[in-house]
Amino acid sequence: MTKHPLLQMIKLQKKGTPVGIYSVCSANEFVIEAALERGKQTKSIVLIEATSNQVNQYGGYTGMKPKDFMKFVEKIAKKVNFPMDRIILGGDHLGPLTWTHLDEKQAMKEASKLIELYVLAGFTKIHIDTSMRVADDDQQAMLSTEVIARRGAELAEVAEKAYAKLKAKSPNALHPVFIVGSEVPIPGGAQEEEEGVAVTKVKDCQQTINTFHEAFLSKDLKEAWNHVIAVVVQPGVEFGDSTVIEYDRKKARTLTKSLKAYKNLVFEGHSTDYQTKIALKEMVEDGIAILKVGPGLTFAAREAMFALANIEEALLKGTKTKPSKFIEVLEEVMLKNPGNWQKHYHGNAQQLAFKRKYSFSDRCRYYLPNEKVQAALETLITNINTIGIPYSLLSQYMPVQYTKVREGIIPCTAEALIKDRIVNCMDEYLYATHQEKLG
C-alpha cells in the first residue's frame, strides 16, 4: 500500500462516487475476526479503531497499549490469513478525554504521549479530539473553538514529529490522516433516552474547519492540514437503551450540501449503530463517508451468545452435563462490578436488570474479558460443539444462521455462529459503503 486508502475515498467522493468505509470500533476478538474474515471474502479494506480510554499508554480498560493493540490485531489477521497492509488502524477520541481531571498542562502532556504512541505503533487514522474541558477550564462555560483548535494543532504537531521518527525507521510507513471535531456524546452512545438530536449547524461546522485550519497554519503544519480528511459532525443519528434516532437526509441536507465547498473533506459520523442499511447508504451518498460502529457489533455478538446459552439450556436439561450458565454469570459479574454500567443505566430494579442484558448501549461488552465470564463462554462453546445443535433449535434461536448452515455457507459451530451474527450487522455497512473500491 503506497497511498492511504482513505485519500482514495476522498477522491471518489469528490468525483460523485458514493464510496465510504465503516469503522470497527471494538477490541472484541470475535468482532475483529469476523471483520477480517468478511473483508477477505469481499476483498475490502478493513478499518479497526481503538478509543483513548480503551487503549492508551497505561493500558486503558483493555490492558493494551497502542503497540499491544497492533500486535493483537496482527495475531488475528495471521489466524485468518488477512494481509496487514489491507488493515487501517485508527485512534478514536485521541486527546485529553481520559485526563480531564488534570489541568491543561498535564492533560495535554498525557494526550501528547498518547498521540505519539499511536502514531509510532503504526496507526494511520488519527481522530484528534480536544473538545472536552479539563480541570482548569471554566466548567460552566462551553469550550471555545479557538481553544479546541489550538490544543488540536498542538497534538497534530506531536503526530507529525512521531511520524517523522517512524518514517526514519520504516521508509514505507504511510503518513497518517487526521479527523478533527467532535459533535458527539462520550464514546459509546448517549446516556439518556433522547427524542431527537440537533444536526450540526453549517456555521458551526465552518467555524470548526476554519479555526482548525488557522491553528494548524500558525504552527507551520501545512503538511498535516493536507492530511486532514474529515470533520466529525452530528448528522442527526443516535441511539439510547432501546431507541434509535434514524438518519433523516432532509434534515441534514443543508449540512451535507456545505461539503461541496471543501475539495478534500468528508464527514465522519459517530454513533451510527443500529441505523438501517438504507439510512447508512444515504449517509454515504450524502458525504458522511466514515461510519463509526462499536456497541452494535458487540450487541450482535452478545445476542448470539445468549441464543447459544438458550440452546444449551434446552439441550442439557435433565442431563448430567454441567451447563455454562453464561447469562447468569454475566449478570453476576456485572452486579459485583457496576462501574461500567451504573452511570449509564437509569430506572428501577426491573428496568436496570433489563438494560444490563439488552440495552443498545451494550455495557455488557466491558465484562466479556472478565475471567469468570470468559470461563463461562468457553464452557458454553465446548458444550455446544460437543453436543451439536439440532436444526430445529438452530432455526428457533438463530434463523438467519440456520439458513446459512443448511446452505453450507457456514459450519454449525459455536464460533462460526457468533461471528456470522456479527457479520449480519457488518453486511449492512458493506452494502452502504462499497469499500471494496478502496484498494
Side-chain angles (χ1 to χ4, degrees):
M1 196 189 290
T2 55
K3 190 178 180 185
H4 204 295
L6 296 185
L7 296 176
Q8 172 68 1
M9 180 188 74
I10 302 293
K11 192 177 175 183
L12 289 167
Q13 272 280 339
K14 295 307 174 180
K15 281 182 175 177
T17 307
V19 173
I21 194 165
Y22 83 97
S23 174
V24 179
C25 301
S26 179
N28 180 276
E29 197 162 346
F30 277 112
V31 168
I32 293 173
E33 194 168 314
L36 296 183
E37 286 180 350
R38 197 69 183 123
K40 189 176 175 183
Q41 290 158 359
T42 57
K43 296 181 172 59
S44 299
I45 295 286
V46 176
L47 169 59
I48 300 167
E49 296 202 51
T51 307
S52 59
N53 58 0
Q54 184 183 56
V55 173
N56 59 42
Q57 60 265 47
Y58 301 106
Y61 67 74
T62 62
M64 286 187 275
K65 296 176 183 178
K67 65 178 181 181
D68 300 323
F69 189 79
M70 170 68 83
K71 287 175 185 172
F72 173 65
V73 173
E74 279 178 341
K75 186 180 174 184
I76 300 170
K78 192 174 181 182
K79 179 183 174 183
V80 304
N81 196 26
F82 191 88
M84 279 301 291
D85 66 359
R86 294 184 67 76
I87 298 172
I88 302 167
L89 282 185
D92 194 24
H93 295 285
L94 301 189
L97 177 68
T98 315
W99 301 284
T100 54
H101 60 288
L102 301 175
D103 62 27
E104 179 180 349
K105 186 179 178 183
Q106 288 302 116
M108 286 298 288
K109 187 179 176 183
E110 295 286 6
S112 296
K113 189 65 181 174
L114 177 77
I115 292 264
E116 180 185 30
L117 291 180
Y118 266 83
V119 174
L120 288 175
F123 288 67
T124 64
K125 178 182 177 291
I126 304 295
H127 173 210
I128 296 174
D129 184 7
T130 47
S131 62
M132 60 291 299
R133 289 186 293 259
V134 293
D136 53 351
D137 288 324
D138 182 347
Q139 301 301 305
Q140 305 307 313
M142 282 188 68
L143 209 54
S144 73
T145 308
E146 287 74 20
V147 170
I148 293 169
R150 172 178 60 75
R151 291 174 183 170
E154 285 175 25
L155 296 182
E157 186 175 35
V158 171
E160 288 293 279
K161 286 177 180 175
Y163 173 65
K165 274 189 202 174
L166 178 66
K167 195 166 174 63
K169 286 183 186 175
S170 307
N172 294 326
L174 289 181
H175 194 295
V177 294
F178 300 111
I179 318 299
V180 298
S182 184
E183 286 281 338
V184 291
I186 61 168
Q191 294 187 33
E192 306 283 354
E193 297 287 343
E194 297 185 46
E195 289 181 9
V197 289
V199 174
T200 299
K201 292 183 173 68
V202 171
K203 65 175 183 178
D204 293 338
C205 179
Q206 289 171 339
Q207 186 187 7
T208 295
I209 295 167
N210 294 338
T211 311
F212 264 91
H213 185 210
E214 287 167 15
F216 273 52
L217 294 188
S218 73
K219 282 191 159 290
D220 199 22
L221 294 172
K222 188 179 178 184
E223 187 59 23
W225 184 255
N226 289 338
H227 285 84
V228 173
I229 62 160
V231 59
V232 177
V233 293
Q234 174 50 273
V237 301
E238 192 48 85
F239 58 90
D241 288 319
S242 58
T243 57
V244 180
I245 299 167
E246 195 160 322
Y247 180 62
D248 183 338
R249 72 188 327 175
K250 287 180 184 175
K251 289 182 180 176
R253 187 162 288 153
T254 307
L255 174 66
T256 56
K257 275 188 173 181
S258 72
L259 261 180
K260 289 179 182 176
Y262 305 98
K263 62 179 183 179
N264 296 318
L265 290 177
V266 293
F267 288 144
E268 175 167 289
H270 291 225
S271 301
T272 71
D273 310 65
Y274 313 108
Q275 295 291 311
T276 67
K277 67 179 183 179
I278 302 303
L280 294 170
K281 182 171 177 280
E282 288 179 350
M283 289 171 77
V284 174
E285 288 170 352
D286 294 347
I288 306 157
I290 304 170
L291 305 173
K292 308 294 280 288
V293 56
L297 300 173
T298 45
F299 181 87
R302 194 272 313 151
E303 280 186 322
M305 290 165 191
F306 276 24
L308 292 175
N310 286 321
I311 290 169
E312 178 198 39
E313 187 183 357
L315 289 173
L316 295 184
K317 198 169 185 179
T319 74
K320 290 181 180 179
T321 306
K322 189 180 176 184
S324 66
K325 297 284 184 187
F326 174 76
I327 297 172
E328 293 86 344
V329 170
L330 179 62
E331 170 73 348
E332 180 190 317
V333 170
M334 289 182 78
L335 284 172
K336 272 189 180 177
N337 307 279
N340 283 314
W341 62 265
Q342 214 165 36
K343 291 178 185 175
H344 298 262
Y345 295 157
H346 308 284
N348 60 33
Q350 186 273 333
Q351 290 166 332
L352 290 174
F354 180 86
K355 289 174 183 181
R356 281 193 297 273
K357 285 187 176 74
Y358 304 116
S359 169
F360 276 148
S361 70
D362 190 48
R363 307 303 295 181
C364 293
R365 70 188 186 276
Y366 293 96
Y367 298 88
L368 291 178
N370 176 276
E371 282 183 24
K372 279 190 176 179
V373 177
Q374 276 295 303
L377 181 57
E378 284 169 22
T379 301
L380 172 61
I381 289 169
T382 300
N383 284 344
I384 291 291
N385 289 344
T386 302
I387 304 162
I389 306 175
Y391 282 159
S392 56
L393 267 184
L394 188 60
S395 177
Q396 173 69 39
Y397 288 103
M398 302 186 82
V400 175
Q401 283 63 48
Y402 163 78
T403 300
K404 288 187 178 182
V405 168
R406 291 295 307 276
E407 292 176 356
I409 296 168
I410 60 170
C412 193
T413 64
E415 297 91 339
L417 294 168
I418 292 168
K419 286 187 286 184
D420 193 69
R421 177 66 194 95
I422 299 165
V423 163
N424 294 160
C425 177
M426 290 172 172
D427 279 351
E428 312 253 284
Y429 286 86
L430 289 169
Y431 167 83
T433 58
H434 305 290
Q435 62 199 60
E436 73 281 353
K437 295 182 181 179
L438 296 179

